[in-house]
Amino acid sequence: MIRLRPGEVDLATLRDIHAGSGPVELDRGARPGIEAAARVVAEAAAGDAAIYGVNTGFGKLASTRIAPADTATLQRNLVLSHCSGTGEAADPALVRLMMALKLVSLGRGASGVRWAVIEAIEALLARGVVPVIPLQGSVGASGDLAPLAHMAAVLIGAGEAELGGRRLPGDRALAAAGLAPLELGPKEGLALLNGTQFSTAAALAGLFAAWDNLAASIVTGALSTDAIMGSTQPLRPEIHALRGQPGQIAVAAAARALMAGSAIRESHREGDSRVQDPYCIRCQPQVAGACLDLLRHAGRNLQIEANAATDNPLVADGHILSGGNFHAEPVAFAADQIALAIAEIGAIAQRRVALMVDPTLSFDLPPFLTADPGLNSGFMIAEVTSAALMSENRHLANPCSTDSTPTSANQEDHVSMAAHGACRLARMNRNLSGILAVELLVACQGIEFRAPLATSPALQRVVALLREHVPALGADRPLSPDIAAARALIADGSVARHAGLDLPLEVS
């Protein structure tokens, strides 16, 4: 059981939830605060004072008063009207993470919902009921209204959900899981819809995949360095200590460990006419290290956001306060930072691929890593594929957070665009794992051309892993299946694990 303590949930726990590591529930110590805030909202709903979202309309309609007898209808209508998303459905793992984040946010005891709302979300997670959430429709301010509305709809027996591999109407999914629809109380629809949980979940999913790609890129970069008989002098700790950047120091240390014991490296310490390697080899710690630091910075901010109360209004010290915690600017910035790191990891990896297939730069490797160039094209077009993926990621890395448009009759006149900023990370990570897959294929082929010299023991394990799934390239054959197999090894962490690389995503 994964138990969520509001305000204390860390990235490791969030990653376990995203990976589907077990049932999830809110720490029971949060219940008194949740129920106290619910009493404040209930009293306000029965009173005469206008309280936004409790006895008023929403957005531009906030000045419209709602009679006490209509508060339940108000909340239900809010959920149904906001189910306006479009596009493909979000990955179930992302939806589970989003629901867990909503539990954490409500668990702060500032949203004014009853404990029954917590139990209803927990029940969906426990019974495997996954709301169908369209990916498009949020601009990342006033919260992720449309995506969260699609989640809330299932709680009240509307919308759609997946259960046991079937897509069902919300009421049928609840019934099949042995659950009853939730009747919303005052403010509860608004509390479920307001918040940054969809954007944050998508950004976290992007962060986790980017981190795995970064780890794999350190391994493929070491393989490429040995394949072109590159120097390890740029990895010396004295160089990196003089700069002091923690990510750079960590990447250089990891690369040194990966290449330790390489006979290929030892073979050209003396008599090598080359003075310096190209930047894509020599500056790997500087580039990958900067990406490491950037991802950790984004992770730190997303961990804070994951523990935040982000709906509106909020209950604090017995008062109901209107504010703007739903504005997802911190998530948008984090998503843009992750995108920059993804693009740069791929950019330098692609240059290493280009280096290895070019006989004028690869230090005597055959053209395009084929033993019979001319008759065979080898990895010629695989390198072109890596270039196409790199270019696409460059375009996708352009910031989303700088784009804003007024919505809701100009009431919501500045928005974060965090949702699509975060959602694009999945595509970018797929592209990056494709680039690294090509690098893995080319680098392993290059290392095998150095026989009888052998690479390091750590990197030999990676070459052996690849060869369990992809044979060495002899005569030309379709390479798409090879790239797909190598990409799977990158994406599931196998490459980093077999190399013995332990690179924890830790933030302070």
Side-chain angles (χ1 to χ4, degrees):
M1 173 67 69
I2 298 175
R3 189 161 285 107
L4 304 171
R5 294 177 61 86
E8 301 178 15
V9 180
D10 59 17
L11 290 178
T13 300
L14 295 169
R15 180 154 200 175
D16 286 343
I17 295 169
H18 185 251
S21 297
V24 178
E25 70 173 26
L26 194 65
D27 187 272
R28 270 33 194 170
R31 184 166 185 169
I34 291 171
E35 291 182 333
R39 287 192 294 271
V40 173
V41 169
E43 291 170 5
D48 296 327
I51 305 295
Y52 175 72
V54 177
N55 53 17
T56 74
F58 306 100
K60 196 73 170 179
L61 304 175
S63 59
T64 304
R65 288 293 298 272
I66 306 299
D70 292 328
T71 55
T73 302
L74 173 71
Q75 298 301 314
R76 182 177 178 84
N77 286 348
L78 174 70
V79 171
L80 297 178
S81 68
H82 284 54
C83 287
S84 300
T86 189
E88 297 178 4
D91 182 76
L94 190 157
V95 177
R96 276 179 51 84
L97 181 56
M98 179 189 77
M99 294 165 70
L101 293 176
K102 179 56 76 173
L103 282 176
V104 177
S105 182
L106 298 178
R108 294 296 298 270
S111 299
V113 303
R114 297 164 298 147
W115 186 253
V117 175
I118 303 299
E119 292 177 322
I121 298 173
E122 289 177 342
L124 294 190
L125 288 166
R127 306 290 177 89
V129 180
V130 182
V132 175
I133 311 292
L135 284 172
Q136 295 169 289
S138 173
V139 295
S142 278
D144 294 314
L145 296 172
L148 289 170
H150 285 277
M151 179 199 75
V154 175
L155 290 171
I156 65 174
E160 289 185 302
E162 290 186 4
L163 177 65
R166 294 187 300 158
R167 187 164 173 166
L168 301 169
D171 56 348
R172 287 178 53 195
L174 290 179
L179 302 173
L182 175 70
E183 185 172 338
L184 297 173
K187 191 188 173 291
E188 288 179 346
L190 184 59
L192 289 167
L193 268 59
N194 253 187
T196 64
Q197 287 76 41
F198 175 75
S199 296
T200 304
L204 284 166
L207 172 68
F208 300 149
W211 191 262
D212 290 344
N213 276 327
L214 171 63
S217 78
I218 297 171
V219 178
T220 58
L223 286 162
S224 297
T225 301
D226 235 11
I228 63 109
M229 290 188 156
S231 173
T232 55
Q233 181 170 299
L235 302 177
R236 288 186 58 154
E238 303 95 317
I239 296 172
H240 308 288
L242 284 167
R243 193 176 207 181
Q245 295 287 354
Q248 178 178 326
I249 291 169
V251 171
R256 288 195 304 272
L258 289 169
M259 296 190 69
S262 169
I264 296 175
R265 173 63 188 115
E266 295 304 318
S267 72
H268 61 96
R269 283 192 184 273
E270 304 293 336
D272 193 332
S273 61
R274 298 169 296 173
V275 177
Q276 295 185 126
D277 293 317
Y279 288 178
C280 67
I281 298 296
R282 193 180 355 145
C283 298
Q284 290 179 71
Q286 288 79 6
V287 175
C291 293
L292 186 154
D293 287 336
L294 191 57
L295 291 176
R296 281 189 170 150
H297 176 76
R300 185 178 302 111
N301 288 341
L302 290 175
Q303 180 173 286
I304 293 170
E305 191 73 8
N307 285 280
T310 55
D311 60 291
N312 178 60
L314 293 170
V315 181
D317 298 324
H319 301 286
I320 300 177
L321 308 174
S322 286
N325 279 5
F326 51 70
H327 199 296
E329 197 82 348
V331 183
F333 283 166
D336 281 347
Q337 290 166 343
I338 295 166
L340 289 172
I342 293 170
E344 280 299 278
I345 295 165
I348 195 168
Q350 200 283 326
R351 297 317 304 155
R352 294 192 295 263
V353 174
L355 187 73
M356 288 184 285
V357 300
D358 186 342
T360 63
L361 299 172
S362 65
F363 203 57
D364 299 327
L365 289 175
F368 304 106
L369 282 299
T370 178
D372 192 5
L375 180 62
N376 292 292
S377 296
F379 288 100
M380 179 188 295
I381 304 305
E383 186 268 331
V384 173
T385 296
S386 72
L389 296 173
M390 175 192 68
S391 179
E392 185 174 311
N393 271 2
R394 283 177 173 173
H395 288 280
L396 290 170
N398 282 299
C400 296
S401 57
T402 55
D403 180 26
S404 178
T405 187
T407 61
S408 193
N410 283 298
Q411 177 74 5
E412 299 158 7
D413 59 352
H414 182 278
V415 298
S416 71
M417 296 301 180
H420 75 262
C423 287
R424 89 208 201 257
L425 300 177
R427 180 175 174 184
M428 293 186 71
N429 274 308
R430 286 193 297 271
N431 290 344
L432 176 54
S433 62
I435 296 168
L436 297 176
V438 174
E439 183 178 19
L440 179 62
L441 294 168
V442 173
C444 288
Q445 184 97 350
I447 280 174
E448 288 168 333
F449 272 117
R450 301 299 183 188
L453 296 173
T455 189
S456 69
L459 297 181
Q460 286 180 49
R461 293 194 297 271
V462 177
V463 176
L465 169 68
L466 178 67
R467 292 296 171 242
E468 291 174 8
H469 301 270
V470 179
L473 182 62
D476 280 347
R477 63 172 185 259
L479 290 179
S480 290
D482 296 4
I483 296 171
R487 175 186 250 158
L489 298 175
I490 296 285
D492 70 6
S494 294
V495 166
R497 278 196 306 276
H498 277 70
L501 177 59
D502 182 22
L503 194 70
L505 176 53
E506 296 174 343
V507 300
S508 57

